[in-house]
Amino acid sequence: DAGVTQSPTHLIKTRGQHVTLRCSPISGHKSVSWYQQVLGQGPQFIFQYYEKEERGRGNFPDRFSARQFPNYSSELNVNALLLGDSALYLCASRKKGAQETQYFGPGTRLLVL
Amino acid sequence: DAKTTQPTSMDCAEGRAANLPCNHSTISGNEYVYWYRQIHSQGPQYIIHGLKNNETNEMASLIITEDRKSSTLILPHATLRDTAVYYCIVRFAGGTSYGKLTFGQGTILTVHP
């Protein structure tokens, strides 16, 4: 089975622009979470979505938003990009149960100039 | 979620067992111990998890002390491809926070020829 896929793999934007990152979960997985990983640090939780509803949010500004589609894929949107938004953005999926393990995609590397 | 403490870095000779410790002295009864690893510039990879019993799978073994305040991840025969950052995470499996993994700094494991 295919794992979690993310697109694009790399992206370069300038300050003030908007970016949309995409994630397709493992087949049968209904929950998607997004993480930001700044260089040299561990991933930080941004959002969790389950059945198209937001079920958790980390300490990130309103410039960050996300949504989940009927096919369980997800988009992460970031408005008014700042230099500090440069990071690896990771998507993770899991089945619906609270006990279920999260599996991560390869990430999207965003560079803001 | 309970906080974890891991050594910053460890070395291991190829073919030997790598034993990675994790302290989680404030863990509560309904929190699981999860281990992930992240090879350079890739998404975190799930390794193993457990509640209170020792666990083993094709990748590793997880030993949890009887008081659950610490655990050890064991890679029985380390290879060069096991060089990575290893994260020990304690996760509450319930409520609205079940989608969130809280990553620390992890342990940089370097396997030497």
Side-chain angles (χ1 to χ4, degrees):
Chain A
D1 286 341
V4 177
T5 59
Q6 293 186 243
S7 64
T9 55
H10 295 82
L11 201 53
I12 299 175
K13 292 285 189 178
T14 56
R15 281 177 297 174
Q17 285 190 311
H18 161 90
V19 69
T20 298
L21 311 180
R22 296 177 175 82
C23 170
S24 292
I26 293 171
S27 177
H29 286 196
K30 298 185 176 182
S31 177
V32 168
S33 295
W34 287 94
Y35 292 79
Q36 179 196 65
Q37 186 173 24
V38 175
L39 197 63
Q41 297 183 19
Q44 299 296 306
F45 173 75
I46 308 175
F47 286 110
Q48 186 219 350
Y49 274 77
Y50 173 63
E51 292 285 10
K52 294 165 284 180
E53 290 186 9
E54 182 182 307
R55 299 298 183 100
R57 185 184 185 108
N59 188 24
F60 280 81
D62 292 343
R63 300 185 294 108
F64 289 77
S65 64
R67 56 179 176 167
Q68 186 177 32
F69 299 100
N71 66 353
Y72 303 108
S73 67
S74 178
E75 283 182 354
L76 174 69
N77 296 285
V78 186
N79 292 323
L81 285 167
L82 304 174
L83 297 180
D85 295 330
S86 295
L88 180 67
Y89 288 86
L90 296 158
C91 173
S93 77
R94 63 176 178 83
K95 296 179 185 177
K96 68 173 184 177
Q99 310 284 336
E100 297 291 340
T101 297
Q102 289 190 40
Y103 296 92
F104 284 82
T108 294
R109 175 81 56 189
L110 172 66
L111 177 61
V112 182
L113 300 176
Chain B
D1 292 338
K3 196 171 181 179
T4 62
T5 304
Q6 299 178 252
T8 303
S9 63
M10 294 183 66
D11 290 330
C12 178
E14 190 176 21
R16 297 292 191 122
N19 297 285
L20 291 89
C22 179
N23 181 286
H24 32 81
S25 58
T26 59
I27 194 170
S28 60
N30 53 8
E31 289 181 316
Y32 286 75
V33 179
Y34 277 76
W35 284 83
Y36 283 79
R37 73 180 182 184
Q38 189 171 25
I39 296 169
H40 182 63
S41 294
Q42 299 181 20
Q45 177 188 23
Y46 165 76
I47 302 173
I48 198 167
H49 75 283
L51 184 61
K52 49 186 165 183
N53 297 321
N54 298 338
E55 303 287 345
T56 296
N57 63 20
E58 64 278 3
M59 288 182 68
S61 294
L62 174 60
I63 309 298
I64 302 174
T65 57
E66 193 168 343
D67 63 7
R68 301 187 70 239
K69 293 181 185 294
S70 66
S71 61
T72 301
L73 177 75
I74 301 172
L75 307 179
H77 305 287
T79 71
L80 298 179
R81 287 176 296 180
D82 292 322
T83 294
V85 179
Y86 287 77
Y87 295 101
C88 169
I89 299 165
V90 172
R91 182 172 81 96
F92 172 59
T96 59
S97 66
Y98 54 74
K100 174 184 175 182
L101 293 174
T102 301
F103 288 81
Q105 292 294 103
T107 296
I108 301 170
L109 175 69
T110 304
V111 181
H112 297 284

